[in-house]
Amino acid sequence: MIKKTLILISCIFSLSTQAQQKLNTFHLVDEETGLAIPSVSIAIVKARLSITTEKDGIFNIPGDLNKMRDTIIFSRQNYTSLKMPLRGLNGMDTIKLRKVQSEGKEVKTSFKNDTLLNNYEKLDIGYYAGLHTGYEEFNYLQLAEQFQSPKAGAMLKNVTINRLAFYLNKVSQYNYTEMEHTKFRIRVYDIDPVTGGPGKDLCNEIIEVKSNDQKKMNTNLKSYKIIIPNKTFFVAVEWLRDFYNLGLVQIYSPELKKTVNLVNYRPAIGLSPIKGKKLNIWALNINNEWKLYTYHSPDFTDLAIKAAVQY
């Protein structure tokens, strides 16, 4: 908890010149039960800052909240996102989030066919998303790969994600120094009929993946019984922006004419070596909006994420 407090203080410090005068402490709780909600994503829009809370749901913001002119967003799987002015937190100590009621559904148990989507050779992966974008820190909350199932009503059987398993000290010199430990969450989305991007969650359970040294992270999802109602669906990596995943990348900034440290959060997700006909990578930004992720296009069109479906 001390580490979480320190990182949030260091991130928010620039929002107020009176940061040392007052420390505002908040508790994130379930609206119905009053229990703490762990691992809530907190994003401050204009400042382009985001963290993930610890298990106790506590976070701190230093300074005079009334003088802060920014927007804060709280989001977590299975809860309705809450967006409000940062100064609106003044006088509060508890923030309540409303749980989304899950819908009951019949799950088909017999399927005749298996298909692997977005297949590629892992040894051909040479580029990764999530380290940084140019000379700036990577400030996206999730990256998603868009898939096309052979048939509507299929079940997601398995997901394989290839990631950077070594700490990359200096990108320009490819100096690999140590193994990277990481944990993150897998999200599965239906297509949004309006935007064409990720829409409704297709799994109500938390799928958290933890890895010490594997480059290829293979996750069996059969027990979750995730049914894909349409042919188009999305598999996303949700970053847990906490101390466990915190890292630094050193790059040379032509503007500053020196090497700078950029904060990043593990894992770095591989880019598929196979170029597709269209861009299939989507990103969730600080504003909680899904947009096509164009930074690596047109050279790369897909993430190094495979999905096996039964239909």
Side-chain angles (χ1 to χ4, degrees), residues 154-303:
M155 184 173 78
L156 184 58
K157 175 183 176 183
N158 191 85
V159 166
T160 300
I161 299 173
N162 285 86
R163 60 105 181 187
L164 182 66
F166 295 89
Y167 173 65
L168 191 58
N169 186 32
K170 293 185 179 179
V171 175
S172 60
Q173 298 180 16
Y174 297 95
N175 181 18
Y176 298 91
T177 59
E178 63 184 49
M179 302 299 290
E180 290 205 318
H181 298 176
T182 186
K183 61 181 177 179
F184 61 91
R185 288 178 176 171
I186 293 176
R187 303 285 292 270
V188 184
Y189 297 101
D190 194 8
I191 185 172
D192 187 311
V194 177
T195 66
K200 182 180 178 181
D201 268 297
L202 293 179
C203 182
N204 295 321
E205 298 180 61
I206 301 293
I207 306 172
E208 190 164 301
V209 180
K210 188 173 183 179
S211 174
N212 290 333
D213 53 18
Q214 297 96 336
K215 292 180 65 177
K216 183 178 78 170
M217 305 177 73
N218 191 53
T219 306
N220 189 329
L221 300 177
K222 289 185 69 174
S223 63
Y224 294 95
K225 295 182 172 55
I226 303 171
I227 300 300
I228 305 162
N230 299 291
K231 287 186 176 182
T232 302
F233 69 101
F234 302 81
V235 174
V237 168
E238 178 182 7
W239 274 270
L240 298 177
R241 298 168 70 98
D242 54 20
F243 253 86
Y244 185 85
N245 286 308
L246 183 66
L248 294 174
V249 174
Q250 294 181 329
I251 67 167
Y252 180 79
S253 171
E255 183 178 345
L256 299 176
K257 297 182 179 180
K258 66 177 182 178
T259 299
V260 296
N261 291 324
L262 297 181
V263 172
N264 67 62
Y265 292 90
R266 295 180 286 269
I269 305 302
L271 295 168
S272 172
I274 300 176
K275 185 176 180 179
K277 295 181 179 179
K278 71 179 188 69
L279 181 60
N280 292 308
I281 306 174
W282 290 76
L284 184 67
N285 62 25
I286 292 291
N287 288 311
N288 247 25
E289 300 168 330
W290 283 103
K291 303 287 183 180
L292 277 167
Y293 185 61
T294 60
Y295 180 75
H296 296 284
S297 64
D299 298 315
F300 298 95
T301 58
D302 295 85
L303 295 171

